[in-house]
Amino acid sequence: MINRAAESYRQDGMRRAYLLGPSHGTPAERVARFRPAFDALTSAGFAVTAPAVSQPAACESADHLLSVMDDDLDALAAADVVVTLPGSDRLWEIAIADALGVPVVSFADCLAERACA
């Protein structure tokens, strides 16, 4: 399923960024933490996926959790780059991105060095 998703995500030709950061706090707190990076990446021409903001705060069942994880893996596999916010260094998505060959870049480096360009 991951490979099929990666192909479909790229049909529009846009570069894809998977924005990764800590998902603790209320939905409003998560939006406030992710919004500046989300907006900057969008302005730079990326289609941005930020699961910590778009996913529900809690899953209703094991099946729901598996569905959410499946969506996250599809988006991660389809990404051209994983952009990390502070506090992301121990999140599971980094290991998956490394295994898939998706570059992982901090948001600070992305801005300072144009590493995401």
Side-chain angles (χ1 to χ4, degrees):
M1 184 164 176
I2 289 175
N3 290 335
R4 188 173 66 243
E7 291 170 10
S8 66
Y9 274 92
R10 288 193 175 90
Q11 287 177 355
D12 63 10
M14 287 188 75
R15 295 201 61 212
R16 305 257 175 214
Y18 185 102
L19 184 56
L20 180 61
S23 60
H24 62 273
T26 67
E29 290 169 336
R30 289 195 308 266
V31 168
R33 184 171 43 252
F34 279 75
R35 178 61 59 195
F38 188 96
D39 290 346
L41 291 167
T42 301
S43 293
F46 284 90
V48 182
T49 299
V53 175
S54 62
Q55 299 294 350
C59 292
E60 302 158 3
S61 66
D63 286 340
H64 185 222
L65 174 61
L66 291 173
S67 174
V68 167
M69 295 295 293
D70 193 40
D71 290 345
D72 283 354
L73 287 170
D74 285 347
L76 187 57
D80 295 301
V81 63
V82 173
V83 179
T84 62
L85 296 178
S88 302
D89 54 331
R90 294 184 179 214
L91 297 177
W92 64 269
E93 291 95 335
I94 292 176
I96 301 296
D98 286 341
L100 293 171
V102 178
V104 177
V105 178
S106 74
F107 180 63
D109 287 346
C110 185
L111 290 180
E113 300 173 15
R114 306 285 294 156
C116 294

